[in-house]
Amino acid sequence: MSGWKELLVDGKVKFKVPAHLELIKKVGSGAYGTVCSFKDSRTGEKVAVKKITDAFHDLIDGKRILREVRLLRGFKHENLIQILDMYPPDHPDFDDIYIVTDLMETDLHKVIYSKQVLNDEHHQYFSYQVLRGLLYLHSANVVHRDLKPSNILVNKNCDLKICDFGLARGYGGDEDDPNLTDYVVTRWYRAPEVVLLASEYTKSIDVWSVGCILCELIGRKPIFPGKDHLHQIKVILQYLGTPTAADLDWLPPKSPARAFISKIPACAKQPWQAIYPKATAAAIDAIEKMLTFHPLHRVEVKQAILLKYFETLHVPDDEPVAEKPVDWAFDKFTPTKRLLQNYIYAECYRFHPDIAQRDAKLLPSRGIDKLLS
């Protein structure tokens, strides 16, 4: 392919990018690959390029990557990360994936643990923007399920975008990911119902996560740092107090979760004002409503955005919702390496239709031609 160049990042990861991109620096690397920032020498614009090496080695991970790509391609919202390009593979039997997104300077985790002064306006603006992005997501029949400060990207002007949709699901949906309950590295932002009944979740689990993030912004440390899922519930109850019978009526009568809760020594609810003495009454009210133990009594996103805490930011005409819900049919398949390659190839084709002509002789034998028609 002409117009492309190869460069080595950190002396070990080979990146193949359009010739007009200049490497700025490596931004980060994790389980899912390496992210670098680049500048377009023609326009001066900056982008983030993520290279996922050997993307189909683990089929569950491969399916998560595809899910994220499919979802993001359909979203258009200022508070959600956007896919700008997917570089074309050299061949239909490829192993590496390149995803190009908006470049954001940092993430909320780094901001919270920095020396940066954060005042009440910051706490409001960050949590409002997360809710604004969620309003759109939930209207599209998508629950993020893994909201935490490191999945929230931030720019110097405090604009924010939610990222990492690999664990997202339709709500009330069929649970088809057995690895889920143990997969999420941090449990600290998980709602009680996810911890107690792994298969039951609704949109309100994302609201719980926003409540945890607001607490972490105000206190600059996590509010519920559980060591394992049983300890997680204990930590939550140490703040919220022992749940009443009415607080638990969503739990099946014979569920092991009830027995577990009954064994936790009784604790009294701690007033949020005592935990965060500098927080305003409106902030306390927002925390109280988002961190409600009973999932059906917890405030929904559309109600949360109307809380007094966000009244200076709330603009009804500028809080877009999705045009139509996501059709989750795309996610209902058992992954094989070939299928994942085919689906990702089809996604790259949307950005670079010329690859179909280049690979015309190879596509039918792999079943890719049908996906492009």
Side-chain angles (χ1 to χ4, degrees):
M1 293 190 297
S2 60
W4 295 77
K5 65 181 181 189
E6 292 196 341
L7 42 98
L8 211 53
V9 174
D10 271 4
K12 52 179 183 290
V13 185
K14 198 160 75 173
F15 263 67
K16 184 169 187 174
V17 299
H20 58 262
L21 287 191
E22 295 161 359
L23 176 68
I24 302 172
K25 63 175 187 194
K26 176 173 125 176
V27 179
S29 58
Y32 275 177
T34 306
V35 182
C36 294
S37 52
F38 287 87
K39 183 176 174 182
D40 187 324
S41 58
R42 305 167 310 182
T43 63
E45 278 184 45
K46 294 175 182 174
V47 294
V49 180
K50 171 154 73 170
K51 178 184 185 183
I52 306 162
T53 307
D54 211 2
F56 312 109
H57 167 70
D58 179 304
L59 297 180
I60 296 269
D61 283 350
K63 190 172 178 188
R64 288 195 175 117
I65 296 159
L66 174 68
R67 181 183 301 139
E68 170 155 81
V69 168
R70 284 279 180 89
L71 288 172
L72 289 180
R73 176 163 57 72
F75 296 158
K76 193 141 186 53
H77 192 281
E78 291 160 344
N79 300 123
L80 306 177
I81 197 82
Q82 201 177 355
I83 294 187
L84 307 173
D85 194 358
M86 288 182 72
Y87 295 154
D90 292 337
H91 189 280
D93 304 333
F94 62 105
D95 287 304
D96 302 337
I97 303 175
Y98 288 93
I99 299 174
V100 185
T101 60
D102 330 70
L103 178 65
M104 303 292 283
E105 289 156 270
T106 185
D107 64 55
L108 204 52
H109 176 82
K110 292 185 183 125
V111 171
I112 291 171
Y113 297 95
S114 70
K115 298 271 186 286
Q116 165 80 40
V117 174
L118 296 179
N119 58 32
D120 192 48
E121 279 78 23
H122 288 104
H123 309 154
Q124 279 174 29
Y125 188 47
F126 286 139
S127 39
Y128 168 74
Q129 288 180 87
V130 178
L131 288 169
R132 187 172 176 268
L134 278 182
L135 186 72
Y136 178 93
L137 269 188
H138 288 179
S139 72
N141 180 26
V142 176
V143 187
H144 187 286
R145 297 208 307 181
D146 195 22
L147 281 177
K148 53 189 174 189
S150 57
N151 281 346
I152 296 170
L153 304 177
V154 184
N155 267 343
K156 280 201 174 64
N157 59 0
C158 296
D159 286 340
L160 149 175
K161 291 183 193 285
I162 301 169
C163 69
D164 208 338
F165 289 82
L167 292 181
R169 281 291 185 288
Y171 40 84
D174 335 321
E175 185 50 79
D176 61 340
D177 190 343
N179 308 29
L180 194 87
T181 26
D182 299 318
Y183 170 74
V184 184
V185 186
T186 165
R187 294 179 186 81
W188 302 349
Y189 308 92
R190 309 194 99 189
E193 63 271 27
V194 183
V195 184
L196 293 166
L197 285 180
S199 61
E200 302 277 322
Y201 51 84
T202 60
K203 296 180 278 190
S204 61
I205 69 171
D206 285 341
V207 176
W208 177 275
S209 303
V210 182
C212 295
I213 291 165
L214 175 55
C215 286
E216 196 163 335
L217 281 163
I218 296 172
R220 297 192 97 147
K221 61 175 203 275
I223 177 72
F224 304 130
K227 297 185 183 61
D228 54 57
H229 59 277
L230 300 181
H231 184 241
Q232 185 65 37
I233 294 294
K234 284 184 176 163
V235 175
I236 290 171
L237 298 188
Q238 277 162 8
Y239 285 94
L240 301 193
T242 302
T244 64
D247 288 332
L248 295 173
D249 65 14
W250 52 277
L251 270 176
K254 297 267 187 290
S255 77
R258 281 180 178 267
F260 169 70
I261 289 177
S262 67
K263 292 196 184 88
I264 298 177
C267 20
K269 177 174 166 48
Q270 297 188 37
W272 288 109
Q273 198 67 64
I275 301 161
Y276 299 119
K278 293 195 172 122
T280 62
I284 298 295
D285 177 59
I287 292 171
E288 191 79 60
K289 291 194 163 76
M290 291 195 275
L291 295 182
T292 295
F293 188 83
H294 195 307
L296 301 176
H297 301 165
R298 195 176 304 145
V299 52
E300 282 195 13
V301 174
K302 20 183 208 297
Q303 301 159 321
I305 238 165
L306 299 172
L307 292 171
K308 187 170 174 23
Y309 191 52
F310 303 113
E311 71 181 351
T312 56
L313 297 164
H314 168 57
V315 182
D317 298 343
D318 190 30
E319 288 165 352
V321 293
E323 284 171 23
K324 56 180 194 295
V326 168
D327 176 359
W328 283 88
F330 76 82
D331 207 47
K332 305 267 187 278
F333 71 96
T334 304
T336 62
K337 181 174 181 178
R338 181 73 264 161
L339 262 181
L340 290 170
Q341 281 170 315
N342 289 3
Y343 286 140
I344 293 284
Y345 186 98
E347 293 295 328
C348 296
Y349 162 81
R350 288 176 168 269
F351 292 99
H352 301 275
D354 51 314
I355 58 176
Q357 205 175 345
R358 181 198 73 188
D359 298 332
K361 292 193 176 76
L362 302 169
L363 301 184
S365 62
R366 291 160 178 80
I368 298 179
D369 54 328
K370 294 187 193 67
L371 295 177
L372 308 185
S373 53

